[in-house]
Amino acid sequence: MTLPSSGQITLNQIHVEAGGTSGSQAAINDSDIRGLIGKNTTEQKAFNEWYGASAASGTVSFLGRSSTTTNQFGNGNRTLSSGTKLVVVVHIGLFAGTANNGIQATNVFCGGTAMTKAVGSGGHYMTSGIGGTASIWYLETSQSGTTLINGTTNGTGSGPTFAYTYEISGYNSATPYATAFTHNQGSPALSDAISVNGQNGGVSIIAGACTGPGTLTVSNGATIGAQDSATYSQFFVAAKQGISGGSQFYTVTKTTNTQTNSVFSLNAVSFG
């Protein structure tokens, strides 16, 4: 049961929500209690930070992807479930040009309703001018059935672009718990890592681009929903549900075409 959103809240209530037995010994710095709100042992804590917290686990489903070989948004229909849910769309584009001048989504719509941008990377490239951009968008909606995912883009790069769609249920908040972005533009390698804070029982979505064709793996139990490869780059989305509280660390590794180091541009968002 979700904890109260206002008024009095007790350590016993928090302990029970975290899976403890009512009336048993507990401390605010216990790992299960901290995990409800993603706090570490050294951070200061106040009881009102547990308002609305829940140990209920969010679930995430990959609904599919659409693409285009141009620099336009890859419009496509997705089948949404009934009831209220979070729809998350990841837009990724290839570019061949100058730094930070890639194809980026400027607006994304779910069934005609504007989505909110959670995080976006801009463009990152190698000396050849090849690279990619990524952004993650979200919307809480009760739309169901066949639903158009579409958008607009800007930038002078070339295609392709991809739009990947996820659906999340069982969440506590319709806004992101945390976001993160990283790149290794100055130090190409065969892998790169990103960390994003999470709430116990929440969902992480990780996405990005990597220069050089091939395949990728993602660590920490994240499942790749889709992966696409172009002549100069590869793109992926991955998700993990039932995460624990605190920092979630994901390493993305290039497993083919390993004779050439790559620039990674990674984005992540978590919902609790």
Side-chain angles (χ1 to χ4, degrees), residues 130-148:
I130 302 299
T133 68
S135 57
I136 303 177
W137 305 70
Y138 67 96
L139 175 71
E140 185 178 43
T141 181
S142 58
Q143 298 177 71
S144 62
T146 302
T147 305
L148 176 65

mmCIF file with all atom_site columns, all heavy atoms in Angstrom, residues 130-148:
data_model
loop_
_atom_site.group_PDB
_atom_site.id
_atom_site.type_symbol
_atom_site.label_atom_id
_atom_site.label_alt_id
_atom_site.label_comp_id
_atom_site.label_asym_id
_atom_site.label_entity_id
_atom_site.label_seq_id
_atom_site.pdbx_PDB_ins_code
_atom_site.Cartn_x
_atom_site.Cartn_y
_atom_site.Cartn_z
_atom_site.occupancy
_atom_site.B_iso_or_equiv
_atom_site.pdbx_formal_charge
_atom_site.auth_seq_id
_atom_site.auth_comp_id
_atom_site.auth_asym_id
_atom_site.auth_atom_id
_atom_site.pdbx_PDB_model_num
ATOM 1   N N   . ILE A 1 130 ? 30.951 11.402 -37.810 1.00 0.00 ? 130 ILE A N   1
ATOM 2   C CA  . ILE A 1 130 ? 29.842 10.462 -37.743 1.00 0.00 ? 130 ILE A CA  1
ATOM 3   C C   . ILE A 1 130 ? 29.426 10.301 -36.285 1.00 0.00 ? 130 ILE A C   1
ATOM 4   O O   . ILE A 1 130 ? 30.265 10.147 -35.403 1.00 0.00 ? 130 ILE A O   1
ATOM 5   C CB  . ILE A 1 130 ? 30.236 9.097  -38.321 1.00 0.00 ? 130 ILE A CB  1
ATOM 6   C CG1 . ILE A 1 130 ? 30.693 9.248  -39.777 1.00 0.00 ? 130 ILE A CG1 1
ATOM 7   C CG2 . ILE A 1 130 ? 29.073 8.110  -38.222 1.00 0.00 ? 130 ILE A CG2 1
ATOM 8   C CD1 . ILE A 1 130 ? 29.651 9.803  -40.708 1.00 0.00 ? 130 ILE A CD1 1
ATOM 9   N N   . GLY A 1 131 ? 28.139 10.316 -36.012 1.00 0.00 ? 131 GLY A N   1
ATOM 10  C CA  . GLY A 1 131 ? 27.689 10.136 -34.642 1.00 0.00 ? 131 GLY A CA  1
ATOM 11  C C   . GLY A 1 131 ? 26.180 10.037 -34.565 1.00 0.00 ? 131 GLY A C   1
ATOM 12  O O   . GLY A 1 131 ? 25.524 9.713  -35.547 1.00 0.00 ? 131 GLY A O   1
ATOM 13  N N   . GLY A 1 132 ? 25.635 10.323 -33.389 1.00 0.00 ? 132 GLY A N   1
ATOM 14  C CA  . GLY A 1 132 ? 24.200 10.187 -33.219 1.00 0.00 ? 132 GLY A CA  1
ATOM 15  C C   . GLY A 1 132 ? 23.676 11.073 -32.114 1.00 0.00 ? 132 GLY A C   1
ATOM 16  O O   . GLY A 1 132 ? 24.430 11.615 -31.304 1.00 0.00 ? 132 GLY A O   1
ATOM 17  N N   . THR A 1 133 ? 22.361 11.240 -32.078 1.00 0.00 ? 133 THR A N   1
ATOM 18  C CA  . THR A 1 133 ? 21.672 11.987 -31.039 1.00 0.00 ? 133 THR A CA  1
ATOM 19  C C   . THR A 1 133 ? 20.588 11.096 -30.453 1.00 0.00 ? 133 THR A C   1
ATOM 20  O O   . THR A 1 133 ? 20.106 10.162 -31.105 1.00 0.00 ? 133 THR A O   1
ATOM 21  C CB  . THR A 1 133 ? 21.021 13.265 -31.579 1.00 0.00 ? 133 THR A CB  1
ATOM 22  O OG1 . THR A 1 133 ? 19.942 12.892 -32.454 1.00 0.00 ? 133 THR A OG1 1
ATOM 23  C CG2 . THR A 1 133 ? 22.018 14.118 -32.339 1.00 0.00 ? 133 THR A CG2 1
ATOM 24  N N   . ALA A 1 134 ? 20.188 11.392 -29.220 1.00 0.00 ? 134 ALA A N   1
ATOM 25  C CA  . ALA A 1 134 ? 19.110 10.628 -28.599 1.00 0.00 ? 134 ALA A CA  1
ATOM 26  C C   . ALA A 1 134 ? 18.338 11.529 -27.646 1.00 0.00 ? 134 ALA A C   1
ATOM 27  O O   . ALA A 1 134 ? 18.894 12.450 -27.046 1.00 0.00 ? 134 ALA A O   1
ATOM 28  C CB  . ALA A 1 134 ? 19.661 9.417  -27.854 1.00 0.00 ? 134 ALA A CB  1
ATOM 29  N N   . SER A 1 135 ? 17.056 11.255 -27.482 1.00 0.00 ? 135 SER A N   1
ATOM 30  C CA  . SER A 1 135 ? 16.229 11.937 -26.491 1.00 0.00 ? 135 SER A CA  1
ATOM 31  C C   . SER A 1 135 ? 15.133 10.982 -26.041 1.00 0.00 ? 135 SER A C   1
ATOM 32  O O   . SER A 1 135 ? 14.723 10.081 -26.781 1.00 0.00 ? 135 SER A O   1
ATOM 33  C CB  . SER A 1 135 ? 15.630 13.230 -27.041 1.00 0.00 ? 135 SER A CB  1
ATOM 34  O OG  . SER A 1 135 ? 14.873 12.991 -28.217 1.00 0.00 ? 135 SER A OG  1
ATOM 35  N N   . ILE A 1 136 ? 14.668 11.176 -24.786 1.00 0.00 ? 136 ILE A N   1
ATOM 36  C CA  . ILE A 1 136 ? 13.649 10.314 -24.194 1.00 0.00 ? 136 ILE A CA  1
ATOM 37  C C   . ILE A 1 136 ? 12.469 11.181 -23.765 1.00 0.00 ? 136 ILE A C   1
ATOM 38  O O   . ILE A 1 136 ? 12.647 12.192 -23.070 1.00 0.00 ? 136 ILE A O   1
ATOM 39  C CB  . ILE A 1 136 ? 14.209 9.534  -23.000 1.00 0.00 ? 136 ILE A CB  1
ATOM 40  C CG1 . ILE A 1 136 ? 15.443 8.711  -23.419 1.00 0.00 ? 136 ILE A CG1 1
ATOM 41  C CG2 . ILE A 1 136 ? 13.143 8.605  -22.417 1.00 0.00 ? 136 ILE A CG2 1
ATOM 42  C CD1 . ILE A 1 136 ? 16.116 7.961  -22.277 1.00 0.00 ? 136 ILE A CD1 1
ATOM 43  N N   . TRP A 1 137 ? 11.265 10.782 -24.168 1.00 0.00 ? 137 TRP A N   1
ATOM 44  C CA  . TRP A 1 137 ? 10.040 11.551 -23.948 1.00 0.00 ? 137 TRP A CA  1
ATOM 45  C C   . TRP A 1 137 ? 9.022  10.676 -23.222 1.00 0.00 ? 137 TRP A C   1
ATOM 46  O O   . TRP A 1 137 ? 9.026  9.451  -23.373 1.00 0.00 ? 137 TRP A O   1
ATOM 47  C CB  . TRP A 1 137 ? 9.453  12.003 -25.284 1.00 0.00 ? 137 TRP A CB  1
ATOM 48  C CG  . TRP A 1 137 ? 10.419 12.778 -26.144 1.00 0.00 ? 137 TRP A CG  1
ATOM 49  C CD1 . TRP A 1 137 ? 11.534 12.302 -26.786 1.00 0.00 ? 137 TRP A CD1 1
ATOM 50  C CD2 . TRP A 1 137 ? 10.367 14.178 -26.441 1.00 0.00 ? 137 TRP A CD2 1
ATOM 51  N NE1 . TRP A 1 137 ? 12.172 13.309 -27.465 1.00 0.00 ? 137 TRP A NE1 1
ATOM 52  C CE2 . TRP A 1 137 ? 11.479 14.472 -27.274 1.00 0.00 ? 137 TRP A CE2 1
ATOM 53  C CE3 . TRP A 1 137 ? 9.487  15.209 -26.099 1.00 0.00 ? 137 TRP A CE3 1
ATOM 54  C CZ2 . TRP A 1 137 ? 11.722 15.757 -27.761 1.00 0.00 ? 137 TRP A CZ2 1
ATOM 55  C CZ3 . TRP A 1 137 ? 9.732  16.488 -26.591 1.00 0.00 ? 137 TRP A CZ3 1
ATOM 56  C CH2 . TRP A 1 137 ? 10.836 16.750 -27.408 1.00 0.00 ? 137 TRP A CH2 1
ATOM 57  N N   . TYR A 1 138 ? 8.110  11.304 -22.439 1.00 0.00 ? 138 TYR A N   1
ATOM 58  C CA  . TYR A 1 138 ? 7.141  10.521 -21.674 1.00 0.00 ? 138 TYR A CA  1
ATOM 59  C C   . TYR A 1 138 ? 5.791  11.225 -21.607 1.00 0.00 ? 138 TYR A C   1
ATOM 60  O O   . TYR A 1 138 ? 5.687  12.446 -21.752 1.00 0.00 ? 138 TYR A O   1
ATOM 61  C CB  . TYR A 1 138 ? 7.665  10.243 -20.256 1.00 0.00 ? 138 TYR A CB  1
ATOM 62  C CG  . TYR A 1 138 ? 7.790  11.486 -19.403 1.00 0.00 ? 138 TYR A CG  1
ATOM 63  C CD1 . TYR A 1 138 ? 6.773  11.864 -18.527 1.00 0.00 ? 138 TYR A CD1 1
ATOM 64  C CD2 . TYR A 1 138 ? 8.918  12.305 -19.476 1.00 0.00 ? 138 TYR A CD2 1
ATOM 65  C CE1 . TYR A 1 138 ? 6.880  13.012 -17.755 1.00 0.00 ? 138 TYR A CE1 1
ATOM 66  C CE2 . TYR A 1 138 ? 9.035  13.451 -18.704 1.00 0.00 ? 138 TYR A CE2 1
ATOM 67  C CZ  . TYR A 1 138 ? 8.009  13.791 -17.846 1.00 0.00 ? 138 TYR A CZ  1
ATOM 68  O OH  . TYR A 1 138 ? 8.107  14.937 -17.087 1.00 0.00 ? 138 TYR A OH  1
ATOM 69  N N   . LEU A 1 139 ? 4.751  10.413 -21.359 1.00 0.00 ? 139 LEU A N   1
ATOM 70  C CA  . LEU A 1 139 ? 3.393  10.937 -21.221 1.00 0.00 ? 139 LEU A CA  1
ATOM 71  C C   . LEU A 1 139 ? 2.559  9.945  -20.429 1.00 0.00 ? 139 LEU A C   1
ATOM 72  O O   . LEU A 1 139 ? 2.561  8.743  -20.729 1.00 0.00 ? 139 LEU A O   1
ATOM 73  C CB  . LEU A 1 139 ? 2.752  11.140 -22.601 1.00 0.00 ? 139 LEU A CB  1
ATOM 74  C CG  . LEU A 1 139 ? 1.275  11.565 -22.604 1.00 0.00 ? 139 LEU A CG  1
ATOM 75  C CD1 . LEU A 1 139 ? 1.115  12.999 -22.130 1.00 0.00 ? 139 LEU A CD1 1
ATOM 76  C CD2 . LEU A 1 139 ? 0.665  11.384 -24.003 1.00 0.00 ? 139 LEU A CD2 1
ATOM 77  N N   . GLU A 1 140 ? 1.845  10.425 -19.424 1.00 0.00 ? 140 GLU A N   1
ATOM 78  C CA  . GLU A 1 140 ? 0.838  9.599  -18.751 1.00 0.00 ? 140 GLU A CA  1
ATOM 79  C C   . GLU A 1 140 ? -0.466 9.746  -19.524 1.00 0.00 ? 140 GLU A C   1
ATOM 80  O O   . GLU A 1 140 ? -0.929 10.862 -19.783 1.00 0.00 ? 140 GLU A O   1
ATOM 81  C CB  . GLU A 1 140 ? 0.652  10.040 -17.307 1.00 0.00 ? 140 GLU A CB  1
ATOM 82  C CG  . GLU A 1 140 ? -0.308 9.121  -16.542 1.00 0.00 ? 140 GLU A CG  1
ATOM 83  C CD  . GLU A 1 140 ? -0.455 9.517  -15.086 1.00 0.00 ? 140 GLU A CD  1
ATOM 84  O OE1 . GLU A 1 140 ? -0.570 10.735 -14.813 1.00 0.00 ? 140 GLU A OE1 1
ATOM 85  O OE2 . GLU A 1 140 ? -0.457 8.627  -14.227 1.00 0.00 ? 140 GLU A OE2 1
ATOM 86  N N   . THR A 1 141 ? -1.063 8.621  -19.893 1.00 0.00 ? 141 THR A N   1
ATOM 87  C CA  . THR A 1 141 ? -2.229 8.678  -20.764 1.00 0.00 ? 141 THR A CA  1
ATOM 88  C C   . THR A 1 141 ? -3.146 7.486  -20.519 1.00 0.00 ? 141 THR A C   1
ATOM 89  O O   . THR A 1 141 ? -2.695 6.424  -20.067 1.00 0.00 ? 141 THR A O   1
ATOM 90  C CB  . THR A 1 141 ? -1.809 8.712  -22.244 1.00 0.00 ? 141 THR A CB  1
ATOM 91  O OG1 . THR A 1 141 ? -2.974 8.780  -23.074 1.00 0.00 ? 141 THR A OG1 1
ATOM 92  C CG2 . THR A 1 141 ? -1.011 7.476  -22.618 1.00 0.00 ? 141 THR A CG2 1
ATOM 93  N N   . SER A 1 142 ? -4.423 7.664  -20.833 1.00 0.00 ? 142 SER A N   1
ATOM 94  C CA  . SER A 1 142 ? -5.383 6.561  -20.797 1.00 0.00 ? 142 SER A CA  1
ATOM 95  C C   . SER A 1 142 ? -5.779 6.148  -22.216 1.00 0.00 ? 142 SER A C   1
ATOM 96  O O   . SER A 1 142 ? -6.722 5.359  -22.395 1.00 0.00 ? 142 SER A O   1
ATOM 97  C CB  . SER A 1 142 ? -6.625 6.960  -19.994 1.00 0.00 ? 142 SER A CB  1
ATOM 98  O OG  . SER A 1 142 ? -7.240 8.110  -20.551 1.00 0.00 ? 142 SER A OG  1
ATOM 99  N N   . GLN A 1 143 ? -5.117 6.683  -23.218 1.00 0.00 ? 143 GLN A N   1
ATOM 100 C CA  . GLN A 1 143 ? -5.380 6.258  -24.588 1.00 0.00 ? 143 GLN A CA  1
ATOM 101 C C   . GLN A 1 143 ? -5.124 4.752  -24.708 1.00 0.00 ? 143 GLN A C   1
ATOM 102 O O   . GLN A 1 143 ? -4.261 4.203  -24.026 1.00 0.00 ? 143 GLN A O   1
ATOM 103 C CB  . GLN A 1 143 ? -4.465 6.992  -25.560 1.00 0.00 ? 143 GLN A CB  1
ATOM 104 C CG  . GLN A 1 143 ? -4.651 8.496  -25.590 1.00 0.00 ? 143 GLN A CG  1
ATOM 105 C CD  . GLN A 1 143 ? -3.668 9.172  -26.531 1.00 0.00 ? 143 GLN A CD  1
ATOM 106 O OE1 . GLN A 1 143 ? -3.790 9.050  -27.749 1.00 0.00 ? 143 GLN A OE1 1
ATOM 107 N NE2 . GLN A 1 143 ? -2.700 9.884  -25.977 1.00 0.00 ? 143 GLN A NE2 1
ATOM 108 N N   . SER A 1 144 ? -5.844 4.096  -25.578 1.00 0.00 ? 144 SER A N   1
ATOM 109 C CA  . SER A 1 144 ? -5.659 2.658  -25.757 1.00 0.00 ? 144 SER A CA  1
ATOM 110 C C   . SER A 1 144 ? -5.879 2.291  -27.219 1.00 0.00 ? 144 SER A C   1
ATOM 111 O O   . SER A 1 144 ? -6.385 3.086  -28.017 1.00 0.00 ? 144 SER A O   1
ATOM 112 C CB  . SER A 1 144 ? -6.626 1.875  -24.871 1.00 0.00 ? 144 SER A CB  1
ATOM 113 O OG  . SER A 1 144 ? -7.968 2.163  -25.222 1.00 0.00 ? 144 SER A OG  1
ATOM 114 N N   . GLY A 1 145 ? -5.487 1.083  -27.566 1.00 0.00 ? 145 GLY A N   1
ATOM 115 C CA  . GLY A 1 145 ? -5.630 0.607  -28.932 1.00 0.00 ? 145 GLY A CA  1
ATOM 116 C C   . GLY A 1 145 ? -4.589 1.222  -29.859 1.00 0.00 ? 145 GLY A C   1
ATOM 117 O O   . GLY A 1 145 ? -3.548 1.720  -29.422 1.00 0.00 ? 145 GLY A O   1
ATOM 118 N N   . THR A 1 146 ? -4.867 1.199  -31.147 1.00 0.00 ? 146 THR A N   1
ATOM 119 C CA  . THR A 1 146 ? -3.931 1.711  -32.151 1.00 0.00 ? 146 THR A CA  1
ATOM 120 C C   . THR A 1 146 ? -3.745 3.214  -31.977 1.00 0.00 ? 146 THR A C   1
ATOM 121 O O   . THR A 1 146 ? -4.705 3.984  -32.042 1.00 0.00 ? 146 THR A O   1
ATOM 122 C CB  . THR A 1 146 ? -4.437 1.405  -33.562 1.00 0.00 ? 146 THR A CB  1
ATOM 123 O OG1 . THR A 1 146 ? -4.597 -0.005 -33.709 1.00 0.00 ? 146 THR A OG1 1
ATOM 124 C CG2 . THR A 1 146 ? -3.452 1.911  -34.604 1.00 0.00 ? 146 THR A CG2 1
ATOM 125 N N   . THR A 1 147 ? -2.512 3.623  -31.733 1.00 0.00 ? 147 THR A N   1
ATOM 126 C CA  . THR A 1 147 ? -2.215 5.019  -31.413 1.00 0.00 ? 147 THR A CA  1
ATOM 127 C C   . THR A 1 147 ? -0.998 5.474  -32.207 1.00 0.00 ? 147 THR A C   1
ATOM 128 O O   . THR A 1 147 ? 0.034  4.792  -32.221 1.00 0.00 ? 147 THR A O   1
ATOM 129 C CB  . THR A 1 147 ? -1.932 5.180  -29.907 1.00 0.00 ? 147 THR A CB  1
ATOM 130 O OG1 . THR A 1 147 ? -3.037 4.654  -29.156 1.00 0.00 ? 147 THR A OG1 1
ATOM 131 C CG2 . THR A 1 147 ? -1.725 6.642  -29.543 1.00 0.00 ? 147 THR A CG2 1
ATOM 132 N N   . LEU A 1 148 ? -1.102 6.624  -32.845 1.00 0.00 ? 148 LEU A N   1
ATOM 133 C CA  . LEU A 1 148 ? 0.002  7.145  -33.648 1.00 0.00 ? 148 LEU A CA  1
ATOM 134 C C   . LEU A 1 148 ? 1.053  7.799  -32.759 1.00 0.00 ? 148 LEU A C   1
ATOM 135 O O   . LEU A 1 148 ? 0.738  8.655  -31.930 1.00 0.00 ? 148 LEU A O   1
ATOM 136 C CB  . LEU A 1 148 ? -0.519 8.161  -34.668 1.00 0.00 ? 148 LEU A CB  1
ATOM 137 C CG  . LEU A 1 148 ? 0.547  8.853  -35.520 1.00 0.00 ? 148 LEU A CG  1
ATOM 138 C CD1 . LEU A 1 148 ? 1.260  7.838  -36.428 1.00 0.00 ? 148 LEU A CD1 1
ATOM 139 C CD2 . LEU A 1 148 ? -0.069 9.973  -36.358 1.00 0.00 ? 148 LEU A CD2 1
#
